[in-house]
Amino acid sequence: MAENGEEKLLAVARHIAKTLGQNDTMADDILQIFSNFDGRFSREKLSEKMVDDNNPRGCAALERAVNSLDRQISQYVALDHPIWAHTADSSAFLDVIDDLIRTMRDWEPMAAEKSVSACLVRADDLMHQAMFRVGDEFRSLMDRGAESFELNRSHHESTGNLSFDSDDDNEENEDGLLHNGADLDHQIPVAQPVTDYDIVIDALPSGTVSDLHEIAKRMVAAGFVKECSHVYSTCRREFLEESISRLGLQKLSIDEVQKMPWQELEDEIERWIKAANVALRILFPSERRLCDRVFFGFSSAADLSFMEVCRGSTIQLLNFADAVAIGSRSPERLFKVLDVFETLRDLMPEFDSVFSDQYCLVLRNEAVTIWKRLGEAIRGIFMELENLIRRDPAKAAVPGGGLHPITRYVMNYLRAACRSRQTLEQVFDESNAVVPSNKLDDRRASSSSMSVQMAWIMELLESNLEMKSKIYRDSALCSVFMMNNGRYIVQKVKDSELESLLGDDWIRKHNAKVRQYCTNYQRSSWNKIIGTLKLDNSSLASNAIAKSMKEKIKSFNAQFEDVCKTQSSWIVFDEQLREEMRISVSRLLLPAYRNFIGRLQCMPEIGRNTDRLIRYNPEDIEARINELFEGNNGSSGVRK
């Protein structure tokens, strides 16, 4: 009923205008009086029903309105200075645009009428002119804001107090931007060392942001969302890409990264880590905040613009990480690949929060994909380490049965890798069946994937060392080699995260192996010598016994001299093990030797020839034993 009453009221007003209006101008004046009197009598509503085949006055009113808007818009479009340089001009221009938008919207339902359609075509052309100019003003406002940022930054950099550029001598100063001042809405960001990533940059003054919002509101209302987004994203993208460039990160293709020498790539990874943290924790959130303020109330436009601003820089960062992931699997690259993996992993919450809208979904998914690819690369590097151990040839024997280079390399490598234990456990837990179950008999269901991986590499290393030990023709030296390398392995395990990964049972088992190698050495080196000292308790005549003992002491002297001469070049690198072996040999040999020479000295058949036969007294024997396992240069051959 209310609608019917209002319609009747409007009909009465239109009738009065038609009756009293002697011409179109007088009718329009009467309509304007009604419009000023009551908001229900808007000119559009009063004119709406006055257009029919027999009454062209409504179309004439539309045409006059378009003519008036044309004069006003043309006036502003023709200005040779920025409209937003003066508040009065910008406000008036926005009002004209509002009138044009409102006129086109109100008359759109009658676009089927030829006369109305023609006027709307003119109005649409005016709208394009207005949007073209307002788009230029939008760009100009953003450029002036960026220029003020540059001037501020240049001023502070010239003082030497601040630096946004990469500096190899002072890397702490290349991480990002901070506000200089307490009022975040009015201060321009300048370069500062970053110690806290909980920072938001306001790259444009608050007044500029407000002006941009007013322009964006009109462009969205007029249906020029994409055009507005394009202007905005083009300006902000340039700023963002320059900011990341100033962090020292080069724009490199995946192919260029893969061809880069490793030393250069290591340096580039360090720069990438800093740039990625600043971008995801400071620059991107700040751009998101600015987008939301400029396009407040238009979430879809804000999301689209933000994606266009950040897409290029995000792809640049992700492409670098991807190049690292699909690059060489050489074991020495593990630690830098771990750095990239951990950086991307730690930034995943930022990817989820900053790129949460539908437009950015593809960027977020790409980040997850490359992060997982880095995990695959890490597992691939460990597979390459396994292959390196398997393929390491048994060419030349290590002098003196000392530590083999592959033992030092693998153990120090694993110790260093285990410093990133948490990350590696995460990587290996995501992999299925890292090690074949038939390779590790003591594998337990409770073992982590990483502990199984470490145990498997240890088994490969031991097998490789056993193969290398066969190069030694002397079985005693073969045992010394295995004992040295086994002891080194156990010590490295006990002094690192490997101990908790492999467990006490593993350590006990391998300590037992080292003891067995010691026993094998003694048997190979000294059992035959001790056998020459065995006393003959047969019923031979005393002359025959004396003759036998003379031969035995001569044989002992020769064998002992030969063993000491040979084994003086052998090495036992571990000081404690070296001392234990000397004590063990002395305890085995000296009692038998003392007993033998005591019996020899008591035989009258030998007489005064005893001193000539006994070349070493027990003290000499012990002294010679204490000279063993030092190596040719007298060094203990300790290895780190």
Side-chain angles (χ1 to χ4, degrees):
M1 293 178 64
E3 292 180 358
N4 291 336
E6 182 175 335
E7 183 60 33
K8 291 180 180 179
L9 188 62
L10 292 172
V12 171
R14 284 194 291 269
H15 177 73
I16 295 172
K18 291 178 183 179
T19 302
L20 298 179
Q22 297 178 4
N23 54 48
D24 290 340
T25 301
M26 291 181 64
D28 285 343
D29 290 341
I30 293 170
L31 291 176
Q32 183 63 49
I33 292 171
F34 284 146
S35 177
N36 293 335
F37 175 71
D38 192 320
R40 291 175 294 177
F41 300 136
S42 65
R43 291 184 59 182
E44 290 77 8
K45 288 182 178 180
L46 290 169
S47 301
E48 193 173 47
K49 299 298 182 180
M50 294 177 66
V51 179
D52 53 40
D53 294 337
N54 298 319
N55 185 7
R57 288 186 179 178
C59 183
L62 172 60
E63 186 174 358
R64 282 191 296 277
V66 171
N67 288 337
S68 175
L69 291 168
D70 190 356
R71 287 193 299 272
Q72 297 177 74
I73 289 174
S74 298
Q75 175 186 353
Y76 286 108
V77 168
L79 288 177
D80 59 358
H81 64 266
I83 298 174
W84 261 257
H86 304 284
T87 304
D89 285 344
S90 60
S91 297
F93 189 33
L94 290 177
D95 289 341
V96 173
I97 293 174
D98 288 338
D99 288 342
L100 179 57
I101 293 172
R102 189 162 48 246
T103 299
M104 293 180 68
R105 182 176 62 243
D106 289 342
W107 285 90
E108 184 63 30
M110 303 184 66
E113 297 293 340
K114 292 183 180 180
S115 55
V116 173
S117 177
C119 288
L120 289 177
V121 169
R122 285 190 58 207
D124 187 62
D125 181 61
L126 282 176
M127 183 63 74
H128 277 80
Q129 294 180 46
M131 290 298 104
F132 184 82
R133 179 57 192 259
V134 85
D136 283 346
E137 294 292 327
F138 192 92
R139 182 188 300 275
S140 179
L141 282 169
M142 297 193 72
D143 288 344
R144 287 202 298 273
E147 288 172 4
S148 65
F149 168 77
E150 288 294 333
L151 290 173
N152 188 298
R153 183 172 66 191
S154 299
H155 168 72
H156 285 285
E157 284 181 348
S158 66
T159 66
N161 296 326
L162 303 163
S163 175
F164 193 49
D165 293 310
S166 175
D167 185 353
D168 293 335
D169 296 328
N170 188 7
E171 293 185 354
E172 291 182 356
N173 287 340
E174 61 182 65
D175 282 1
L177 298 172
L178 285 173
H179 282 294
N180 184 22
D183 187 353
L184 299 183
D185 285 333
H186 295 88
Q187 294 298 323
I188 306 299
V190 293
Q192 291 271 21
V194 169
T195 57
D196 182 4
Y197 287 115
D198 189 17
I199 302 168
V200 175
I201 297 173
D202 285 321
L204 298 174
S206 181
T208 301
V209 173
S210 179
D211 289 338
L212 292 172
H213 171 66
E214 292 300 322
I215 294 175
K217 185 163 62 174
R218 270 67 178 192
M219 293 187 76
V220 171
F224 286 76
V225 179
K226 291 185 178 180
E227 290 78 1
C228 184
S229 176
H230 176 72
V231 173
Y232 176 88
S233 59
T234 300
C235 293
R236 294 309 303 166
R237 182 166 56 244
E238 293 173 358
F239 168 85
L240 185 59
E241 290 177 354
E242 182 187 355
S243 297
I244 291 178
S245 174
R246 284 176 175 268
L247 293 170
L249 190 65
Q250 305 178 59
K251 275 192 174 181
L252 300 170
S253 68
I254 291 178
D255 187 57
E256 288 174 325
V257 174
Q258 291 183 321
K259 290 181 180 179
M260 187 178 293
W262 176 238
Q263 185 58 52
E264 292 181 20
L265 183 56
E266 282 188 307
D267 296 337
E268 195 67 19
I269 287 174
E270 289 297 320
R271 288 189 284 270
W272 178 88
I273 290 172
K274 294 176 181 179
N277 274 290
V278 172
L280 268 297
R281 299 181 190 275
I282 298 177
L283 295 178
F284 290 172
S286 298
E287 290 299 327
R288 176 79 254 188
R289 181 173 181 266
L290 181 60
C291 256
D292 290 341
R293 293 174 67 191
V294 171
F295 295 97
F296 179 75
F298 311 104
S299 59
S300 181
D303 294 342
L304 174 63
S305 300
F306 175 71
M307 186 274 291
E308 290 294 341
V309 169
C310 297
R311 179 174 57 182
S313 297
T314 305
I315 290 174
Q316 178 188 353
L317 292 170
L318 292 178
N319 278 350
F320 182 88
D322 197 25
V324 173
I326 63 179
S328 169
R329 301 293 172 87
S330 298
E332 67 269 13
R333 295 190 174 218
L334 171 68
F335 306 101
K336 285 301 179 184
V337 176
L338 277 171
D339 289 343
V340 177
F341 176 89
E342 290 173 342
T343 299
L344 207 51
R345 177 199 63 194
D346 295 343
L347 289 174
M348 278 303 156
E350 277 68 30
F351 273 100
D352 290 339
S353 62
V354 175
F355 298 128
S356 59
D357 61 82
Q358 59 176 345
Y359 293 103
C360 293
L361 179 62
V362 64
L363 296 177
R364 189 166 70 250
N365 290 342
E366 184 67 10
V368 173
T369 298
I370 293 173
W371 174 48
K372 290 182 178 179
R373 196 171 291 153
L374 285 163
E376 293 171 2
I378 292 170
R379 291 191 292 270
I381 288 173
F382 274 90
M383 291 179 64
E384 186 60 31
L385 176 64
E386 294 173 14
N387 293 332
L388 182 150
I389 296 171
R390 288 191 187 95
R391 294 193 303 260
D392 192 58
K395 291 182 179 179
V398 177
L403 286 173
H404 197 280
I406 195 172
T407 306
R408 292 194 301 271
Y409 175 81
V410 172
M411 294 311 301
N412 287 318
Y413 186 93
L414 294 181
R415 280 166 55 91
C418 285
R419 293 170 189 161
S420 301
R421 175 177 175 177
Q422 183 179 0
T423 299
L424 288 176
E425 285 180 337
Q426 179 183 9
V427 169
F428 288 123
D429 286 343
E430 293 175 356
S431 176
N432 295 322
V434 176
V435 182
S437 58
N438 61 339
K439 294 295 184 180
L440 293 174
D441 295 335
D442 60 349
R443 180 178 179 182
R444 297 172 298 175
S446 61
S447 296
S448 70
S449 297
M450 183 180 176
S451 65
V452 172
Q453 177 70 50
M454 294 299 110
W456 173 235
I457 292 176
M458 291 296 200
E459 185 170 312
L460 289 175
L461 177 59
E462 290 175 44
S463 298
N464 184 271
L465 291 171
E466 288 173 0
M467 178 183 65
K468 287 176 167 57
S469 70
K470 296 177 182 178
I471 299 177
Y472 297 102
R473 296 181 179 180
D474 191 323
S475 60
L477 184 55
C478 173
S479 296
V480 169
F481 172 78
M482 292 302 297
M483 179 181 56
N484 269 321
N485 287 271
R487 178 70 165 218
Y488 183 84
I489 289 172
V490 171
Q491 294 289 10
K492 287 292 184 180
V493 169
K494 291 174 66 176
D495 192 27
S496 70
E497 285 286 333
L498 287 168
E499 181 175 8
S500 60
L501 282 169
L502 297 174
D504 294 337
D505 289 342
W506 188 95
I507 293 175
R508 280 192 292 268
K509 177 182 175 181
H510 285 76
N511 272 329
K513 286 185 177 182
V514 172
R515 289 193 296 270
Q516 185 60 47
Y517 293 135
C518 291
T519 301
N520 294 343
Y521 157 77
Q522 288 185 3
R523 289 174 180 172
S524 300
S525 292
W526 301 103
N527 280 6
K528 184 178 179 181
I529 295 177
I530 293 173
T532 62
L533 299 177
K534 186 177 180 181
L535 296 175
D536 193 350
N537 294 322
S538 66
S539 57
L540 295 175
S542 59
N543 288 338
I545 294 174
K547 182 178 179 181
S548 174
M549 293 189 68
K550 285 181 182 179
E551 295 299 325
K552 286 178 181 291
I553 191 65
K554 290 179 181 179
S555 176
F556 171 84
N557 290 337
Q559 291 185 47
F560 181 75
E561 184 66 30
D562 184 59
V563 167
C564 289
K565 181 179 179 181
T566 300
Q567 297 191 11
S568 64
S569 64
W570 294 5
I571 296 172
V572 175
F573 80 91
D574 184 81
E575 184 176 351
Q576 180 181 351
L577 181 61
R578 186 168 63 247
E579 188 61 27
E580 288 174 357
M581 288 183 62
R582 289 169 176 170
I583 292 173
S584 179
V585 171
S586 296
R587 287 176 178 175
L588 182 69
L589 182 61
L590 285 177
Y593 185 71
R594 286 192 180 98
N595 189 31
F596 183 87
I597 63 175
R599 175 79 178 274
L600 186 66
Q601 289 171 337
C602 293
M603 296 192 68
E605 291 82 1
I606 297 180
R608 295 181 179 179
N609 291 331
T610 303
D611 293 339
R612 186 162 53 88
L613 292 172
I614 300 174
R615 187 179 302 176
Y616 304 102
N617 60 41
E619 289 73 21
D620 295 331
I621 295 290
E622 186 172 14
R624 292 296 298 274
I625 291 173
N626 288 336
E627 293 174 356
L628 299 178
F629 316 125
E630 294 283 355
N632 285 327
N633 59 359
S635 170
S636 62
V638 176
R639 300 291 189 273
K640 293 184 178 179

